[in-house]
Amino acid sequence: MLPEIYPAKIELDVNGLPFAPDYDDRYFSRESGLAETRHVFLQGNQLPTAWQHKEYFVIGETGFGTGLNFLATWQAWSNDPERCSTLHYISVEKHPIPKQLLAELLTQWPELATLSAELLQKYPPVLSGFHQLSFANHRIHLTLCFAEAESALQELVAEVDAWYLDGFTPTKNAAMWSPALFRAIAEHSKPSTTLATFTVAGQVRRDLQAAGFACEKRLGFGQKREMLTAQLKQPAMKANTAAWFSLPKLESQTKTATVIGAGIAGCQIAYALAVRGWQVYLLERHAGISREASGNRAGVLSPKMTAEPDWGEHFYRQAFLYAVRQLNQLAANPSLEWQASGALQLNHNASELKRWQALQKRDLPQDFLQLLEAGAASDLAGIELNLGGSYFPQGGYLYPKSLCAILVQHPNIHLQTQTEALQLQQTPAGTWQVFKQNQQLISINLRRNGAHLTTPPFQC
């Protein structure tokens, strides 16, 4: 399990630039942080050329900091007419900058203001874990790994095309430049993966070479005479047995899927595939969507917390934050019945009180959780309460069916109701057939925008 983290400690120098006293180092160049990013990381990895005409491109970064590298990369991707279809950006940060301070720091780059505003709208609280954010109509995916770098890479499943190594200088932050970390980077790289960094320290070069990278010094930026680029020449040995959570490799380029059941789980799965370009056939045995538990008139959205952080809590709070981001993104649709009212869990028994007292010792961020005494809880609720509790300011309540109705409107989702799937059978060709009663093969009858389409017996 990823350990808890704490926010960055930042001071501003006489020029208003961020400085980390714990590491005695700056976040970026005095001359121009944005120009440095473009020179070292974009040009150092031959971007945008390297991603052009590709379906997917994956960038990995050690040290998210102010997010400047991500924003500059997003800007370059947006301005490139030959860009890849989908850009995945994975960044590790042990000491995230809190949202309010980050907003102040990002004002230094007015040309990135629109992108910065979108990042800040979805930026998570300072909580350890992997935070999944999406932008540009789901064509840019940002995974923020709030964790120590080596621990994060142990949990990560990814094959990276280009790396940005942007931790504090090796003499001040050795953990970000360790041989173990470089081996982990190589293990998460493809053949010919590139890498760029501002440092040319001899130990860094030697350890990268030991991990399989061929290194080259290049002209540096500003006061730094040289920088370093590298390319993986000797792919790392990887385990023969895939982890249980590894994604299966597609044997066919035909991106079709069937999802059985149009409750909130089925609709979310269908939508997640649809925004990634899949054609999804959603089968529902009832006459409409959300006819069972997902049809409840209201559901409260709040995470499940535990006295001590464990895997369960990490899962629930990450899911909670992801759900809040999705709901806020869809809130422009007037059909969505979502009330971001906050959620208050009262200490209604001894167990809840004990958990609440333990949470007080963990110093969790206020924009995620506020631990209130009875008086403050009463003021918040607007009614007299004789109990304190846990208040989640981002929580609220939702009519689940309204969310499902919006999700299934995606043009890649084809909903067929009154179709009960009872059996799956794989064909010799590796596709799957779906059967209903009496071994009858299901046919898909699609109706969208007034057009009627009948397909052959369904298989995917």
Side-chain angles (χ1 to χ4, degrees), residues 88 119 129 133 141 147 179 224 244 270 327 332 356 390 411 421 423 438 451:
H88 294 258
L119 172 62
L133 287 64
H141 300 281
K224 295 183 178 179
W244 65 267
L327 290 167
W356 181 82
S390 302
Q423 184 179 355
N438 303 320

Side-chain angles (χ1 to χ4, degrees), residues 9-153:
K9 298 177 183 177
I10 293 179
E11 297 176 355
L12 300 181
D13 66 13
V14 293
N15 297 313
L17 300 179
F19 182 84
D22 285 353
Y23 296 95
D24 191 28
D25 200 5
R26 302 181 181 280
Y27 275 83
F28 43 77
S29 168
R30 291 187 185 93
E31 288 85 355
S32 171
L34 183 54
E36 179 186 37
T37 288
R38 289 166 175 160
H39 178 84
V40 174
F41 298 112
L42 291 172
Q43 294 179 28
N45 282 290
Q46 302 174 25
L47 296 172
T49 303
W51 66 41
Q52 290 178 346
H53 308 297
K54 294 184 177 179
E55 184 175 3
Y56 296 102
F57 194 85
V58 182
I59 294 173
E61 177 184 49
T62 55
F64 186 73
T66 62
L68 179 59
N69 295 341
F70 168 68
L71 293 170
T73 302
W74 182 1
Q75 183 189 55
W77 179 89
S78 298
N79 293 337
D80 181 13
E82 301 177 275
R83 59 183 175 264
C84 55
S85 297
T86 304
L87 177 65
H88 294 258
Y89 194 105
I90 303 165
S91 187
V92 177
E93 180 55 66
K94 183 178 180 181
H95 303 302
I97 300 176
K99 185 175 182 176
Q100 184 175 352
L101 177 56
L102 183 63
E104 297 173 8
L105 296 174
L106 289 178
T107 60
Q108 298 180 65
W109 301 289
E111 68 176 277
L112 300 175
T114 300
L115 304 184
S116 297
E118 291 191 48
L119 172 62
L120 290 167
Q121 186 179 28
K122 299 181 180 180
Y123 190 76
V126 179
L127 290 168
S128 63
F130 288 19
H131 302 269
Q132 302 281 347
L133 287 64
S134 65
F135 306 92
N137 197 25
H138 299 279
R139 294 185 63 191
I140 289 185
H141 300 281
L142 170 61
T143 301
L144 286 176
C145 309
F146 286 173
E148 186 272 337
E150 192 174 341
S151 297
L153 291 188

Side-chain angles (χ1 to χ4, degrees), residues 384-454:
E384 188 67 26
L385 298 172
N386 58 4
L387 300 171
S390 302
Y391 175 60
F392 300 94
Q394 297 186 56
Y397 60 96
L398 168 74
Y399 179 31
K401 186 175 181 178
S402 71
L403 173 61
C404 292
I406 292 172
L407 297 178
V408 300
Q409 290 173 7
H410 194 285
N412 289 347
I413 297 177
H414 312 288
L415 172 66
Q416 181 164 316
T417 58
Q418 297 181 312
T419 304
E420 186 172 19
L422 296 177
Q423 184 179 355
L424 301 176
Q425 180 175 307
Q426 191 171 22
T427 70
T431 59
W432 290 88
Q433 295 178 326
V434 186
F435 294 88
K436 51 186 177 180
Q437 289 181 339
N438 303 320
Q439 293 290 304
Q440 185 177 0
L441 193 62
I442 292 177
S443 296
I444 298 296
N445 297 297
L446 306 180
R447 183 178 296 277
R448 185 173 294 278
N449 298 329
H452 188 74
L453 170 65
T454 302

Side-chain angles (χ1 to χ4, degrees), residues 210-386:
F213 288 91
C215 299
E216 178 183 354
K217 292 182 181 180
R218 294 189 182 180
L219 179 66
F221 177 82
Q223 298 180 10
K224 295 183 178 179
R225 186 176 62 182
E226 295 176 312
M227 56 170 279
L228 193 68
T229 63
Q231 188 172 37
L232 188 64
K233 297 297 185 182
Q234 299 175 1
M237 295 295 293
K238 299 181 181 180
N240 293 326
T241 303
W244 65 267
F245 50 79
S246 296
L247 299 177
K249 292 189 178 296
L250 295 178
E251 298 180 1
S252 170
Q253 294 302 311
T254 303
K255 296 170 70 173
T256 61
T258 188
V259 176
I260 300 170
I264 194 166
C267 292
Q268 286 281 16
I269 292 169
Y271 183 76
L273 290 168
V275 298
R276 289 164 173 78
W278 286 63
Q279 295 294 319
V280 183
Y281 301 93
L282 181 58
L283 308 181
E284 170 55 53
R285 66 190 180 98
H286 293 296
I289 64 172
S290 305
R291 290 296 179 91
E292 297 188 14
S294 296
N296 286 335
R297 192 61 188 89
V300 175
L301 185 64
S302 63
K304 179 178 175 61
M305 303 295 290
T306 54
E308 298 294 332
D310 60 13
W311 277 112
E313 180 189 294
H314 273 249
F315 171 80
Y316 282 113
R317 75 189 193 192
Q318 297 304 105
F320 165 74
L321 293 170
Y322 184 91
V324 167
R325 285 192 292 271
Q326 183 191 59
L327 290 167
N328 290 337
Q329 185 172 350
L330 296 173
N333 190 319
S335 298
L336 181 66
E337 298 185 42
W338 156 241
Q339 297 294 326
S341 58
L344 177 62
Q345 296 178 353
L346 297 178
N347 300 329
H348 54 82
N349 59 35
S351 177
E352 288 292 322
L353 178 60
K354 183 178 180 180
R355 178 187 61 82
W356 181 82
Q357 291 169 337
L359 288 171
Q360 289 182 316
K361 302 175 183 178
R362 290 175 51 189
D363 195 26
L364 293 166
Q366 291 284 300
D367 55 346
F368 172 72
L369 172 63
Q370 299 171 22
L371 301 168
L372 307 180
E373 300 286 354
S378 298
D379 293 340
L380 182 69
I383 57 175
E384 188 67 26
L385 298 172
N386 58 4

